[in-house]
Amino acid sequence: MHSMAKYEFPKDFVWGASTAAQQIEGAVNQDGRGESVWDVFARRPGAIHEGLNADIACDHYNRYAGDVALMKEIGLKGYRFSVSWPRIMPSGVGPVNKAGLDFYDRLVDSLLEAGIEPYLTLYHWDMPYALAPKGGWMNPDSPKWFADYASVVAGHLGDRVRWWMTFNEQAPFLVGGYLDGWHAPGFKAGWREFLLACKNVMLAHGDAVRAVRASAPKPPKVGMAPVAMLGIPASESVQDIEAARSFTFDLSKRDNWHPALYIEPVLTGKLAPNFAEIFGSDAPSFTDAELKAMSPPLDFLGLNFYNAPYARAGENGPEEVPKEPGWPPAGQYWKITPDGLYWCVRMYHERYALPVVITENGLSCQDWVALDGRVHDAPRIDATARYLIALHRAVEEGFPVLGYFHWSLMDNFEWAEGYKQRFGLIHVDFRTLERTIKDSGYWYADIVRKSALES
């Protein structure tokens, strides 16, 4: 007989869900919005699964009121969304599009009326296309472009929005957009230019943190939401934990997803000790003033975690543990590794001493509306329960975890994967745009109501 266990979270724990502007808003030509790099990239033959685009996506721009009503039905305490830079500044710089700001006014006001705290991300991969021919993030002016945009948004919404994130997942948009070309803007620029783009994004982060603090009418909480790359200890032996920590944070080879390129300098003001040695002549120079500029103190650290490899102590230092065949995959073939959610909280908090918000966690499943009109996504419920049990361990051990945001609120445009992957708590029929709360959405509503999980 399987006995039920109860995992209780603090009463003030923020249960939420996340989205991104490019993935849900649609309305790409409405009310003065400029083109984004993703709008243009999607026209490239073969760039997006089945040749699709985000021109309509979930049409959230026109349907936000109904979507907020669904959030309220689920009982969300927080909603993490991103602002579309080309909707605010169609050319990336210069004139501000008032209609774009008006949309986010309406969204934020409707969230607050529904008792839902807004968590705003300034950049979730949709740079205005007008900046791409100028080199995008490779341009030394890009930190100023971004800071100017951040000032406008914070000045306008900062009287109501308390929680701010500069960047979402720097690694995919920089690796995919500037080195490997599988994400917008689709540059294959080489290591030197890619590392320069990484440096400019770190400088842009620092400039935007200061811009938000200077422009927001009320004191903001500012952080960022990087990919929580790590090695999960293969066992809880001291040796394996240390090996996993080293695997996570010590730059030992030319690795384009490493925290040393996106997280370490902005949280510590220091480069990895062997940064120049590993990247050689491709490494950009960093002055002390630049390192200081990119690392203003933050109020919290967002962590986006889905899965990670296991690491152990080997004869020649830390080594990755090969995954045996048959490891359970999610719909997008990522392996399901729930204990990584505990370890990413623990390792990142121990290293950087910031309160943590899980800003994304979830999985893609093969969901459809059944004959009974419901969406039966039992695998999502089971997998999410496992991740939340791991997160509960971190909370129980006293790590300051402020909230958990499920990815995603609704099925959406999943970048180069098009509409192939469904991550939502809410099913979207992309032909009719009809929304259906999935079984997982009702299950999550129960967790939100009790701030507890029973399994």
Side-chain angles (χ1 to χ4, degrees), residues 65-81:
D67 291 338
V68 173
L70 290 171
M71 295 178 216
K72 189 174 181 181
E73 187 177 339
I74 293 171
L76 296 187
K77 303 284 188 248
Y79 172 54
R80 177 177 172 242
F81 63 96

Side-chain angles (χ1 to χ4, degrees), residues 208-287:
V209 171
R210 283 183 291 276
V212 169
R213 290 208 171 115
S215 306
K218 290 186 178 170
K221 301 273 192 192
V222 189
M224 63 176 183
V227 179
M229 298 298 294
L230 77 152
I232 306 168
S235 79
E236 301 218 356
S237 72
V238 172
Q239 293 85 350
D240 280 351
I241 291 172
E242 281 312 304
R245 188 175 279 115
S246 173
F247 181 91
T248 302
F249 295 114
D250 296 345
L251 185 64
S252 60
K253 61 180 188 295
R254 187 174 276 239
D255 176 357
N256 57 24
W257 280 71
H258 199 277
L261 295 183
Y262 313 103
I263 301 172
E264 186 83 1
V266 300
L267 295 184
T268 68
K270 298 186 182 84
L271 293 176
N274 49 356
F275 184 87
E277 180 190 327
I278 285 174
F279 294 111
S281 60
D282 291 329
S285 61
F286 289 78
T287 65

Side-chain angles (χ1 to χ4, degrees), residues 77-80 111-112 115-119 160 162-163 405:
K77 303 284 188 248
Y79 172 54
R80 177 177 172 242
L111 289 169
L112 293 171
I116 300 166
E117 182 89 29
Y119 284 68
R160 287 154 288 161
R162 290 190 303 161
W163 295 85
F405 286 75

Side-chain angles (χ1 to χ4, degrees), residues 360-381:
E360 286 186 25
N361 171 250
L363 71 160
S364 165
C365 295
Q366 293 176 321
D367 304 326
W368 61 86
V369 180
L371 288 170
D372 62 6
R374 300 277 299 259
V375 179
H376 302 298
D377 57 340
R380 178 173 290 104
I381 293 172

